[in-house]
Amino acid sequence: LLGVKGVGAVNRVGGVTRQVRVELDPVKLLALNLTAAEISGQLRQIQQEAPGGRTDLGSLEQSVRTVATVKTAAELGQMEISLRDGRSIRLDQVAEVRDAIAERRSAALHDGRPVVGFEIVRSLGASDVAVARGVAAALEDFKKTHAEIQTNLVFNTVDTVYQAYQGSMEMIFEGAFLAVVVVVFFLRNTRATIVAATALPLAIIPTFALMVAFGFTINLVTLLALSLVVGVLVDDAIVEIENIMRHLEMGKTPYQAAMEAADEIGMAVIATTFTLVAVFLPTAFMDGVAGRFFVQFGWTAAVAVLFSLLVARLLTPMMCAYFLRPRVKHATPGWIEIYLKWAQWCLHHRKTTLLATAVFFFGSFFL
């Protein structure tokens, strides 16, 4: 499992640890004038695993480690122990050497039965989903060669991550769909709706490319940023299209209407977009632990909004110039007439309107 790409550690839970036990005979030690400390020191010098420096391997530098050579209790029993008078004896002549297990300090139970569990931890920067797939493939290969061993998945955090990812993607698609529905409802023009709807993918797809350049991944934070701004991405395009439609109804050609309308509200659209950038981008420079999470949120949201500005200022007028047609005259909906009456009343009673606005503004501070 450690050979799977992205696996940082494999921790065992339960089971036993092999231990070679050396039980010294005190009578023989006394006869040979030996102490347990002397034997322990000689064993430590022979069997100790320790760093051994570095060596050049081709064009790379590789660390070297000295590894103990004795692997079984029988081999350890054949090791020579030096005496003080210069003679040497085998370890099994003064001790009983046998394979055993270390003291149990943990236990794992599954359905009431003792098992050996393994906790797999991904390395820093690795994908949870990719590591889970790699581990699953490695376990399948292990089952083919060790059919007598049964493996079961007990706990998995990847499913939660994948469900959250699926939920975020569904939220983005639902938001995009509802944004298009709102555009249809208000513009009441199929061609204008198509032009406005193209602003969504044309703004989101380049954002993914810049996320790769920044080293960001598709995670809950970046998907949250996209889901929050998905409705904002069509705002600039809607403003451009609505003004172009107004010029079309004045009798101008689509090309002339697109040029003049885009030039007329260009600065307003740019100011609106940079206002949104000023809201989202500062979150990318937060300090502390929260800042490490929100750096991706702030940049993703700001970049998506900036790409929507480019689409609205460059592609939307071009598409309107060659695709839009004047709207067919139709009766004004009743709700628009009600809105126009309210707007006229506010314009004719400016002081009352400003006073009510101030009351709501300062009253919101007490909520």
Side-chain angles (χ1 to χ4, degrees):
L1 294 178
L2 285 174
V4 177
K5 184 179 179 180
V7 173
V10 178
N11 303 321
R12 192 192 71 200
V13 181
V16 295
T17 301
R18 178 175 176 257
Q19 185 180 74
V20 178
R21 183 167 297 176
V22 179
E23 298 180 356
L24 299 173
D25 188 335
V27 176
K28 294 180 180 179
L29 291 179
L30 185 61
L32 296 172
N33 196 21
L34 272 176
T35 64
E38 290 176 329
I39 295 179
S40 177
Q42 294 188 44
L43 289 178
R44 189 179 297 110
Q45 292 177 357
I46 297 173
Q47 278 297 101
Q48 184 180 19
E49 295 188 7
R54 296 181 179 275
T55 185
D56 293 329
L57 184 61
S59 60
L60 302 176
E61 188 180 69
Q62 179 67 44
S63 59
V64 178
R65 185 176 182 85
T66 58
V67 181
T69 57
V70 177
K71 299 180 179 180
T72 65
E75 291 180 359
L76 185 62
Q78 296 297 318
M79 293 184 62
E80 293 187 350
I81 302 298
S82 300
L83 302 179
R84 296 177 183 177
D85 57 6
R87 295 180 300 161
S88 61
I89 59 172
R90 297 193 312 273
L91 178 62
D92 58 4
Q93 291 179 318
V94 293
E96 180 185 358
V97 184
R98 57 188 176 87
D99 272 313
I101 60 175
E103 180 184 359
R104 293 191 179 187
R105 296 184 177 272
S106 66
L109 299 176
H110 181 52
D111 293 336
R113 296 180 299 174
V115 296
V116 179
F118 293 94
E119 179 188 39
I120 300 172
V121 182
R122 67 173 177 85
S123 59
L124 183 64
S127 169
D128 288 338
V129 178
V131 171
R133 291 174 179 172
V135 170
L139 287 177
E140 288 297 326
D141 295 337
F142 178 80
K143 290 178 181 179
K144 293 178 182 178
T145 56
H146 300 80
E148 71 280 3
I149 299 178
Q150 182 181 0
T151 59
N152 294 316
L153 180 63
V154 178
F155 181 73
N156 187 4
T157 60
V158 179
D159 292 339
T160 304
V161 174
Y162 188 73
Q163 291 172 2
Y165 162 78
Q166 288 291 103
S168 299
M169 291 300 297
E170 291 176 0
M171 187 165 54
I172 290 177
F173 286 119
E174 290 173 0
F177 174 74
L178 292 176
V180 173
V181 170
V182 171
V183 171
V184 173
F185 184 72
F186 282 95
L187 293 183
R188 292 165 294 162
N189 186 291
T190 305
R191 291 174 179 265
T193 302
I194 294 174
V195 174
T198 55
L200 282 171
L202 291 178
I204 291 178
I205 292 175
T207 303
F208 286 130
L210 217 61
M211 285 168 56
V212 175
F214 286 169
F216 299 163
T217 60
I218 299 178
N219 50 54
L220 296 182
V221 176
T222 54
L223 289 178
L224 175 62
L226 291 176
S227 63
L228 287 178
V229 301
V230 68
V232 179
L233 299 182
V234 294
D235 286 354
D236 295 340
I238 291 174
V239 173
E240 295 269 3
I241 293 169
E242 180 60 28
N243 200 38
I244 293 173
M245 293 295 297
R246 185 176 64 86
H247 280 261
L248 277 176
E249 293 174 353
M250 294 168 59
K252 300 177 182 179
T253 63
Y255 183 85
Q256 183 183 8
M259 293 294 292
E260 295 182 4
D263 182 65
E264 188 175 72
I265 61 170
M267 291 304 298
V269 172
I270 293 174
T272 302
T273 301
F274 276 93
T275 301
L276 293 172
V277 173
V279 172
F280 289 114
L281 192 56
T283 60
F285 300 97
M286 294 173 60
D287 296 329
V289 178
R292 297 185 62 86
F293 287 97
F294 278 94
V295 61
Q296 298 190 22
F297 174 88
W299 279 111
T300 302
V303 167
V305 172
L306 287 175
F307 274 121
S308 72
L309 173 63
L310 290 178
V311 172
R313 296 298 298 145
L314 300 177
L315 296 179
T316 299
M318 182 271 294
M319 296 178 66
C320 290
Y322 296 98
F323 191 65
L324 280 191
R325 296 292 182 271
R327 281 187 291 206
V328 178
K329 292 185 178 181
H330 49 76
T332 304
W335 64 271
I336 291 183
E337 293 182 352
I338 296 175
Y339 162 73
L340 291 176
K341 291 180 180 179
W342 288 358
Q344 290 176 0
W345 187 92
C346 291
L347 291 174
H348 289 112
H349 301 81
R350 288 176 291 180
K351 293 182 179 180
T352 305
T353 303
L354 289 175
L355 179 61
T357 303
V359 170
F360 279 109
F361 177 74
F362 291 104
S364 63
F365 294 146
F366 299 97
L367 296 179

